[in-house]
Amino acid sequence: MTWDVHAAAQQTLSSRFQEDCQLHLVELPDMDDEVSAATRACLSDEDKQRAARFARAVDAHRYMAAHAALRVLLAPACLCAPRDVPMTTRANGKPTLMTASPALHFNLTHSDNWALIALHPHWEIGVDLEMHKPWPHMQDLAESVFSQAELRTWRATTPADQASVLYTAWTRKEACLKAVGTGLITPPDQVELGLAPTPARGQWHRPEGGLVEWLDLAHLPLAVPHSACLAWIRS
């Protein structure tokens, strides 16, 4: 089978979750799918070079599909073809549009064969999506992700719920760090958000100053267990 970005865009879910923020959920290629020539034509040379570094073909195809979908969504605001969308990365590594006043702020995440793209006209945003799978070395991961207070709460959680609580906390923290732009350069245990049950909404008061708001995305139309979160910084 061949996956095509223009056909997939017609299946994209677009919803408003938070003040002018648009979310687009895109189904990516299956294990044996190729991406179409029209999809590849939407990519920059750098996109193609990065895709070529993946060891598995399915990972390369999903990378190309997700980034082609992002470029198709950004192109109308930039008044150019998708491959010519002027992207760059900041010093902290966060992708952005290469303009003094970006036409859109954006963030992309993908997990297995789903991508989630967030767009906002004014605010820095971050988004994370994770499909639930068994955590290897879950205890070790929890100790690296949680603050001491969060870790005590997590250890008091019933064993049957610990994995889903960890996924929820992970997506909240990663969405916040992607909104800020540092990603996992900032250790997740320094982002103390608590372990409120999903769906929830909260704030992260950064130690260096500034407020990041976050919202669980609890109603994505996915048939498999997942966690997702959107974070933003009001300008």
Side-chain angles (χ1 to χ4, degrees):
M1 296 287 292
T2 300
W3 187 96
D4 183 77
V5 67
H6 301 293
Q10 297 173 16
Q11 304 164 15
T12 299
L13 171 73
S14 180
S15 301
R16 290 192 175 193
F17 282 75
Q18 175 61 32
E19 296 186 47
D20 295 327
C21 183
Q22 294 184 19
L23 286 175
H24 301 264
L25 185 64
V26 182
E27 189 169 7
L28 301 177
D30 288 331
M31 290 292 295
D32 298 323
D33 287 349
E34 299 280 342
V35 296
S36 68
T39 299
R40 293 174 184 268
C42 293
L43 299 169
S44 68
D45 290 341
E46 184 178 0
D47 290 333
K48 295 173 186 176
Q49 290 166 6
R50 289 184 177 181
R53 298 185 192 128
F54 286 96
R56 298 196 312 161
V58 63
D59 295 328
H61 294 157
R62 288 174 176 172
Y63 177 92
M64 288 189 285
H67 285 77
L70 173 62
R71 286 179 171 275
V72 166
L73 289 170
L74 292 173
C78 298
L79 303 176
C80 65
R83 65 162 290 133
D84 296 324
V85 169
M87 290 189 194
T88 187
T89 54
R90 298 177 187 163
N92 59 19
K94 184 174 183 177
T96 188
L97 292 177
M98 195 186 305
T99 59
S101 299
L104 279 175
H105 295 276
F106 63 89
N107 204 234
L108 164 67
T109 181
H110 54 89
S111 181
D112 288 349
N113 66 321
W114 290 97
L116 187 61
I117 298 169
L119 308 173
H120 199 286
H122 309 298
W123 300 347
E124 295 285 358
I125 51 176
V127 68
D128 191 47
L129 169 66
E130 299 291 342
M131 303 299 168
H132 290 193
K133 298 177 181 178
W135 284 108
H137 312 297
M138 184 168 63
Q139 179 68 35
D140 293 341
L141 182 62
E143 291 176 357
S144 69
V145 168
F146 291 134
S147 69
Q148 288 303 306
E150 291 170 335
L151 187 59
R152 287 192 294 272
T153 301
W154 182 78
R155 285 172 171 162
T157 303
T158 60
D161 293 331
Q162 284 184 335
S164 63
V165 169
L166 181 54
Y167 265 115
T168 298
W170 177 273
T171 55
R172 291 171 181 170
K173 290 172 183 258
E174 185 152 353
C176 287
L177 291 173
K178 290 175 74 178
V180 170
T182 61
L184 295 178
I185 294 174
T186 300
D189 63 350
Q190 295 181 13
V191 184
E192 188 158 6
L193 305 179
L195 300 183
T198 187
R201 178 171 176 166
Q203 299 177 334
W204 173 39
H205 295 267
R206 298 173 62 196
E208 62 272 33
L211 180 68
V212 182
E213 300 177 68
W214 59 266
L215 174 72
D216 289 332
L217 303 176
H219 303 294
L220 298 180
L222 297 173
V224 295
H226 63 279
S227 296
C229 186
L230 172 72
W232 63 93
I233 303 172
R234 295 178 189 266
S235 56

